[in-house]
Amino acid sequence: MTTIERLETRTQRVRLTRPWGPSHAAPGKWVAEPVEASGPSTGSETQYPGAVDSVTVIATRVTRSDGAQGFGFSWTPQIGASAVQALLDDDIAPAAIGRSATPGEAWDDIWAHLHEAGGGGITTIALAGLDLALWDAEARAASASVSQIIGRRRESARAYGSGVNLHYSQDELVAQVRRWVDAGFDAVKIKVGKPDVAEDLDRLAAVRDVLGPDRALMIDANQRWTLDRATDAVNALAVHDLAWIEEPLRADDLAGHAELARRIEVPIAVGENLHTRHRFEDFLHAGAAQIVQPNVIRVGGITPFLRIAAAAADLGAAVHPHLLPELSGQLALTLPGDPWTEDVEDAGFATLGALADPSPVTIADGRLTENAHAGLGIRFTAFERDDS
């Protein structure tokens, strides 16, 4: 049996060229967009914390007992990177060494080992760093890409333009949507949640005017609304022919999402802030979501991501991976159905100069295709600087 011999980590901060949130906001806070205040809510109060101007990658390198190496990463916007790295170094690495290096075989045992620190969140974000490196090592050893060893179902996947743009003026928002249309996207997603829904209506009308009737339009409320406010807002905004409403309520409000699904006709999408297969299944069984958007890092890597996708397929839900197109786009090529890949403007790792190699994917004319590479094709410069 090939086993895990070593797990190493390095951190790498990646500065965003287009900050996620208003540039005038106070620094040092994580939340990118307005969220409802904590505690009892009247449905009207909104907070505008600081912008996210960087993300931090915890790059990982696994060495197997047969000498093969694999590269992976954990990821977090602006906060928590030191906690993730400490969990990898202090708890995951000692638990992993000597275990099977076959992707997925050690995942459940290590997740159980970490459970005292939480079943999801920091623990699954950290566990992704090991899981991705093991998948990368397996594919590199086979001189194949990860999508090939999983089983590629298609040669390209639909991509959509996305941005953190609630703080944009209407003119800036319209200009962004025009860039997406000019780039060939036939679907786009924008943020909603202005204090007055009339302003959201005006912005969506302007966006729909640019898109025309045949391109898909999705909206993302980033957990800003109460149940009653979400009901009113979505029913008002639905006049613009919405493909989905994303995170209308607090992400862990299962009962609220289930009730909202009964009140509106627009499909509900959730998942970027759900961390385990079990929580995804809770939402699906409750009818609280028709679309799931697992973030491959936040759920713990490729192993649980594929399990979540399989559960969604069994229950008739669509799967559209959240963020990280250079990784999630490769996985989209292996999924059943018609998975869409999210391409946030100016946020790709290759675009930001964070990778040691060319991007493993290309997005053009609204489609994502895979470039020739071994493994994940995602090696961060952190190890190159360290090893030079």
Side-chain angles (χ1 to χ4, degrees), residues 33-71:
E33 300 95 22
V35 294
E36 289 182 358
S38 59
S41 172
T42 66
S44 60
E45 64 271 9
T46 302
Q47 298 173 335
Y48 283 81
V52 171
D53 61 10
S54 67
V55 298
T56 301
V57 168
I58 303 88
T60 56
R61 178 167 60 189
V62 156
T63 302
R64 305 194 315 190
S65 58
D66 62 357
Q69 289 191 329
F71 297 86

Side-chain angles (χ1 to χ4, degrees), residues 9-30:
T9 67
R10 302 288 187 275
T11 58
Q12 181 172 332
R13 186 181 183 194
V14 182
R15 180 74 66 174
L16 296 172
T17 57
R18 193 179 297 271
W20 296 348
S23 59
H24 56 76
K29 296 184 179 180
W30 172 79

Side-chain angles (χ1 to χ4, degrees), residues 12 21 34 54 61 63 83 86 119 133 135 145 186 252 263 288 299 325 327 344 364:
Q12 181 172 332
S54 67
R61 178 167 60 189
T63 302
W135 280 96
S145 71
D186 65 0
D252 59 355
R263 297 183 180 186
V299 300
L327 173 57
V344 174

Side-chain angles (χ1 to χ4, degrees), residues 39-120:
S41 172
T42 66
S44 60
E45 64 271 9
T46 302
Q47 298 173 335
Y48 283 81
V52 171
D53 61 10
S54 67
V55 298
T56 301
V57 168
I58 303 88
T60 56
R61 178 167 60 189
V62 156
T63 302
R64 305 194 315 190
S65 58
D66 62 357
Q69 289 191 329
F71 297 86
F73 67 99
S74 296
W75 162 96
T76 181
Q78 197 138 315
I79 193 169
S82 59
V84 171
Q85 186 174 26
L87 203 62
L88 277 158
D89 292 342
D90 299 342
D91 297 296
I92 293 177
I97 291 171
R99 292 182 184 270
S100 170
T102 300
E105 286 195 359
W107 196 93
D108 291 288
D109 285 344
I110 298 176
W111 180 70
H113 172 72
L114 297 173
H115 210 267
E116 291 295 340

Side-chain angles (χ1 to χ4, degrees), residues 289-322:
Q290 294 74 52
I291 297 163
V292 294
Q293 302 166 302
N295 180 297
V296 63
I297 301 299
R298 290 175 176 167
V299 300
I302 292 172
T303 296
F305 177 96
L306 294 176
R307 294 173 180 175
I308 291 164
D314 288 344
L315 293 168
V319 180
H320 302 316
H322 175 253

Side-chain angles (χ1 to χ4, degrees), residues 7 9 11 122 141 288 354 383:
L7 173 63
T9 67
T11 58
I122 290 291
F383 276 109

